[in-house]
């Protein structure tokens, strides 16, 4: 499960050029593995180019990051949490991905 907040809520209304603080929590049920990665897509393009470090062996990880939006518009930033049953960060197999999204309205 991934829960994401922008400036503490499910929606942030900001001015162009203003910074938003994102806080996400990634949780894996007992017996199903550990969190191995946290990846961000601020523009909603599906690229997930930015990563936050996650300590090895955690079933629950909280990550925080800031991002500035320069252009007006409505954005749907996402946090992709990835878990793996054995906690293996190197393998491409057995990965489970989930998304948390918020709305950011830039005026």
């Amino acid at each position: 499960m991934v829960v994401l907040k922008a400036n503490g809520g499910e929606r942030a209304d900001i001015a162009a050029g203003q910074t938003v603080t994102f806080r996400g929590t990634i949780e894996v049920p007992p017996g199903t593995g550990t969190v191995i990665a946290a990846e961000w897509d601020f523009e909603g393009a599906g690229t997930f180019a930015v990563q936050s470090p996650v300590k090895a062996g955690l079933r629950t990880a909280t990550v925080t990051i800031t991002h500035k939006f320069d252009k007006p518009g409505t954005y749907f930033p996402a946090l992709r949490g990835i878990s793996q049953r054995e906690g293996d960060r190197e393998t491409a197999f057995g990965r489970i991905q989930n998304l948390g999204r918020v709305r950011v309205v830039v005026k």
Side-chain angles (χ1 to χ4, degrees):
M1 179 173 88
V2 179
V3 176
L4 182 58
K5 301 287 183 177
N7 288 346
E10 294 177 4
R11 174 182 168 143
D13 293 277
I14 63 167
Q18 188 175 358
T19 300
V20 178
T21 300
F22 295 97
R23 181 179 173 94
T25 302
I26 305 162
E27 188 171 357
V28 180
T32 61
T34 61
V35 178
I36 61 168
E39 303 171 339
W40 299 93
D41 174 18
F42 298 109
E43 307 297 321
T47 57
F48 297 94
V50 178
Q51 295 190 357
S52 286
V54 176
K55 290 183 182 180
L58 297 178
R59 281 191 27 247
T60 301
T62 299
V63 292
T64 303
I65 197 166
T66 59
H67 183 76
K68 183 170 67 169
F69 293 89
D70 293 323
K71 296 179 183 177
T74 300
Y75 298 87
F76 294 93
L79 169 62
R80 178 167 62 189
I82 304 171
S83 65
Q84 204 278 338
R85 184 169 294 278
E86 285 85 35
D88 187 345
R89 296 171 185 254
E90 303 302 319
T91 186
F93 302 103
R95 289 177 172 229
I96 303 296
Q97 301 178 9
N98 204 346
L99 296 177
R101 291 190 183 272
V102 291
R103 178 186 304 222
V104 177
V105 179
V106 182
K107 297 184 182 195

